[in-house]
Amino acid sequence: MTEATRLKDDAFAVKNFMTKEECAKVIRYFEFLVESGKLDWNQISFYESYAMGFWESDPDLLRFDLPADYFNKLKERIKILSEDLLGTELKEISFHAQKWIDGAFAGFHSDNTDENGNPTAFIRSKFASFLYLNEDFKCGRLNWKNYDIIIKPETGMIVIFDGGFGNEH
C-alpha cells in the first residue's frame, strides 16, 4: 500500500499517488481536449471553479503516452486505495476534472449534507477525493472547518475523506 498520512479518523493524504510526469501528461491531455474543441471547462457551483467530464476510454490519450483506458485504470486505483484507507467497500466511484482560476474559492461545505447534517442531492458523494495535478498556484489550501487540518497540495497528492457532515472543508 502507498504511504498514507492519517489526517483524522476518516481523512487521509497520500503523497506521490501519481508521478509528476504522469500529472503533466494528464494536464496536456486536458489542454488538448479544450484546444481541439472536444471538451470544454464548464462553470460549477463554486466561485470561478470549472469542471470537465471526459471519456473513460479515449484513443487520444495515446498521444500523451497514456493508455486509452487510462482513466478507467485511475478510477480503479483510487477505488482500491479509498477502500483500503476508509475500511469500506465502494460500489462505484465517479469523478471529473476540476479547474480553479485565480481568485476562485469555495466556502465551507460537506459534499453530501447541508450545514445541519441532512442529506442533500449529492448523497452519492459519500466519500471524496482530491487528486492534485499541479502545485504552481498561490493559496489553494484545503482546510477543514472544525479541525486544525490544512493541506498544502502537492503535485501527485491525493486526499481521501468521508464527504459528509463533520468533514466540512
Side-chain angles (χ1 to χ4, degrees), residues 3-7 11-15 85 151 157-160:
E3 182 76 25
T5 300
R6 182 183 295 268
L7 305 170
F12 302 86
V14 178
K15 293 183 179 185
L85 293 174
I151 302 295
M157 172 190 280
I158 190 168
V159 179
I160 298 169

Side-chain angles (χ1 to χ4, degrees), residues 45-49 100-108:
S45 57
F46 301 120
Y47 175 75
E48 295 300 341
S49 174
W100 297 76
I101 66 168
D102 287 343
F105 67 92
F108 284 114

Side-chain angles (χ1 to χ4, degrees), residues 47-113:
Y47 175 75
E48 295 300 341
S49 174
Y50 297 83
M52 175 192 299
F54 44 91
W55 300 278
E56 292 184 359
S57 183
D58 183 1
D60 283 328
L61 283 159
L62 299 171
R63 296 174 181 225
F64 304 93
D65 197 28
L66 295 167
D69 64 346
Y70 174 79
F71 289 108
N72 280 334
K73 290 177 179 176
L74 180 60
K75 259 172 94 164
E76 188 61 21
R77 284 174 57 198
I78 293 170
K79 182 178 182 290
I80 290 167
L81 179 63
S82 297
E83 288 175 337
D84 187 46
L85 293 174
L86 297 166
T88 190
E89 181 182 353
L90 304 177
K91 293 184 179 170
E92 67 176 271
I93 65 170
S94 63
F95 62 70
H96 64 270
Q98 195 162 330
K99 174 181 173 178
W100 297 76
I101 66 168
D102 287 343
F105 67 92
F108 284 114
H109 65 281
S110 76
D111 291 341
N112 68 14
T113 64

Side-chain angles (χ1 to χ4, degrees), residues 5-44:
T5 300
R6 182 183 295 268
L7 305 170
K8 58 189 284 292
D9 287 347
D10 55 1
F12 302 86
V14 178
K15 293 183 179 185
N16 303 312
F17 177 74
M18 289 173 58
T19 67
K20 288 187 179 196
E21 180 184 15
E22 187 179 5
C23 292
K25 290 176 183 181
V26 171
I27 290 171
R28 286 195 304 274
Y29 169 71
F30 289 147
E31 290 169 344
F32 164 79
L33 290 178
V34 172
E35 290 167 5
S36 66
K38 291 187 176 201
L39 284 175
D40 200 4
W41 294 103
N42 299 298
Q43 190 162 13
I44 61 172

